[in-house]
Amino acid sequence: VSSAVGETGGKNLWTTFETTRNGPLVLHQEFDVDQHAGSSYSQHLQHYKLVVDFAQGKWREQMIGGNGDRIEIFDGQDLFTFEPGGAEYTRKKQSGSKDERLPAPFENRLDWGKAKEVERGPCGFAGKDHTCVIVDVPIKPWLRQGGPGEVTTMTGGTSRVMIDTETGTWLRCHISAVVDNVGFPVQWDVDYNIKQMSYG
């Protein structure tokens, strides 16, 4: 039976993650990702690996496989996007903390005031284990600018997340959302499953 996490409890989980990612230690995570995007016109499936590193408010995200390799790096001020081995890149200035985009799956801002706890128990780490909580949380709507004249919006979505309560890191995440890209609504279903993690 689901129980309310409450806005305070949910925000505490996010605050714990913010402390971890802004701290001096390096958080390294590797996820296996399965993504399904479907509409009345087409269905698209892809599987890829996602590597994410955090330290001192900076981060690096690498997508391996799927529609192609891609690396994004946030240096604390600017967001750089480029292909591995390529000499060209794009740079986007982050105007403030509210504008800062995080790497997947953390990029989706959750409405913690409406979070529901599903389960609580051991995370399953080898050696010294931590306590994890599984929560169902609505995703706050977002709008993102792509190429010229290209705007992508997410008008409604939910996320089920397994969170390490000691570090605030996400170990598993399922996202179900409707995304509209220039007037074409698409149903997104994405699963992130942790395969390797280190913190130190």
Side-chain angles (χ1 to χ4, degrees), residues 14 17-18 21 54 57 59 61 72 74 94 99-109 144:
W14 185 253
F17 169 68
E18 290 283 85
R21 79 176 187 92
F54 291 100
W59 56 262
E61 174 194 274
E72 291 192 324
F74 178 64
Q94 303 292 283
D99 181 57
E100 180 189 349
R101 188 179 70 78
L102 295 176
F106 304 97
E107 62 182 341
N108 290 290
R109 307 291 182 170
R144 293 175 189 155

Side-chain angles (χ1 to χ4, degrees), residues 11-199:
K11 284 186 175 179
N12 284 343
L13 287 171
W14 185 253
T15 299
T16 301
F17 169 68
E18 290 283 85
T19 300
T20 297
R21 79 176 187 92
N22 287 295
L25 301 182
V26 176
L27 170 65
H28 174 83
Q29 293 184 287
E30 297 181 12
F31 295 94
D32 277 346
V33 185
D34 290 293
Q35 178 175 308
H36 172 253
S39 69
S40 57
Y41 301 100
S42 65
Q43 303 289 322
H44 181 67
L45 296 169
Q46 65 171 323
H47 175 81
Y48 57 93
K49 180 179 179 181
L50 188 72
V51 181
V52 181
D53 295 286
F54 291 100
Q56 299 179 346
K58 304 172 184 178
W59 56 262
R60 179 184 185 274
E61 174 194 274
Q62 182 175 7
M63 176 180 170
I64 304 171
N67 289 332
D69 293 358
R70 185 198 71 231
I71 294 176
E72 291 192 324
I73 295 175
F74 178 64
D75 67 357
Q77 294 184 331
D78 297 331
L79 178 64
F80 299 86
T81 303
F82 55 94
E83 295 181 359
E88 297 183 357
Y89 62 88
T90 61
R91 181 175 67 179
K92 181 180 179 182
K93 185 74 174 179
Q94 303 292 283
S95 61
S97 59
K98 291 185 178 180
D99 181 57
E100 180 189 349
R101 188 179 70 78
L102 295 176
F106 304 97
E107 62 182 341
N108 290 290
R109 307 291 182 170
L110 305 185
D111 189 349
W112 291 110
K114 299 178 182 177
K116 300 290 184 180
E117 181 175 326
V118 177
E119 186 179 344
R120 183 180 293 260
C123 294
F125 298 148
K128 184 181 179 181
D129 205 353
H130 293 174
T131 298
C132 272
V133 61
I134 299 176
V135 293
D136 286 337
V137 197
I139 303 171
K140 293 181 179 180
W142 49 253
L143 181 150
R144 293 175 189 155
Q145 186 71 45
E150 182 179 333
V151 177
T152 302
T153 60
M154 193 282 288
T155 55
T158 59
S159 183
R160 172 167 286 192
V161 192
M162 180 179 182
I163 305 173
D164 177 357
T165 59
E166 294 191 31
T167 63
T169 54
W170 298 7
L171 307 182
R172 291 204 309 265
C173 179
H174 174 77
I175 294 170
S176 180
V178 176
V179 178
D180 190 295
N181 187 7
V182 199
F184 294 95
V186 175
Q187 175 66 42
W188 269 7
D189 287 284
V190 192
D191 284 292
Y192 299 86
N193 292 290
I194 196 76
K195 288 301 177 183
Q196 184 174 334
M197 186 175 79
S198 60
Y199 180 54

